[in-house]
Amino acid sequence: MYRATTHGVQVTVTPRFSPERSDPDRNQYFWAYTIEIVNLGAETVQLRTRHWIITDALGRVQEVRGAGVVGEQPVLPPGGHFEYTSGVPLPTSTGIMEGSYNFTTPSGEAFDAEVPAFSLDLPGAVHTLN
């Protein structure tokens, strides 16, 4: 589990490898990730956009930007939370994702909330640092 809090918005990510959607013989690996967003602040916020930076094991970077998450732009009152599950394919057996969500307040103030970097690894994988 990975967690970050920015401007009173807490983002928790739990990734998991999906063997049923992967085909290692064809260099196709898939991870699902569940994200919980909690408004710890005193003001209502609305998620407007997302920005992902996805890096595979060979250092290739893909950026994804778009409106909302899973087709929604959730409104979170103080203490409110939103949870969703999505997924990411990679051509390598490991990678890393990070990003941000852009939020607005009722007064029109906009800010980015960090999505912490999280690793996409095969279960039982051993990594060596050089």
Side-chain angles (χ1 to χ4, degrees):
M1 174 181 346
Y2 303 82
R3 179 174 290 149
T5 303
T6 313
H7 294 287
V9 174
Q10 178 180 278
V11 178
T12 304
V13 185
T14 306
R16 67 187 175 284
F17 180 64
S18 297
E20 68 281 357
R21 295 189 63 186
S22 299
D23 186 352
D25 292 337
R26 297 176 68 199
N27 291 323
Q28 296 173 349
Y29 301 87
F30 192 88
W31 284 265
Y33 55 89
T34 299
I35 295 196
E36 181 185 31
I37 304 166
V38 180
N39 182 2
L40 302 175
E43 195 170 17
T44 295
V45 297
Q46 182 172 17
L47 191 155
R48 296 293 187 173
T49 63
R50 70 186 182 283
H51 175 215
W52 289 113
I53 301 168
I54 306 160
T55 307
D56 71 15
L58 300 176
R60 294 176 293 206
V61 176
Q62 176 184 4
E63 288 198 52
V64 177
R65 295 177 187 271
V69 290
V70 294
E72 298 187 46
Q73 292 182 320
V75 175
L76 303 174
H81 77 283
F82 181 80
E83 184 175 299
Y84 73 95
T85 299
S86 191
V88 59
L90 283 181
T92 60
S93 62
T94 62
I96 193 164
M97 277 182 73
E98 61 186 308
S100 62
Y101 298 125
N102 182 263
F103 284 88
T104 56
T105 65
S107 65
E109 176 191 354
F111 65 91
D112 289 333
E114 175 190 0
V115 177
F118 57 98
S119 61
L120 306 167
D121 295 313
L122 294 178
V126 176
H127 300 284
T128 303
L129 297 176
N130 295 325

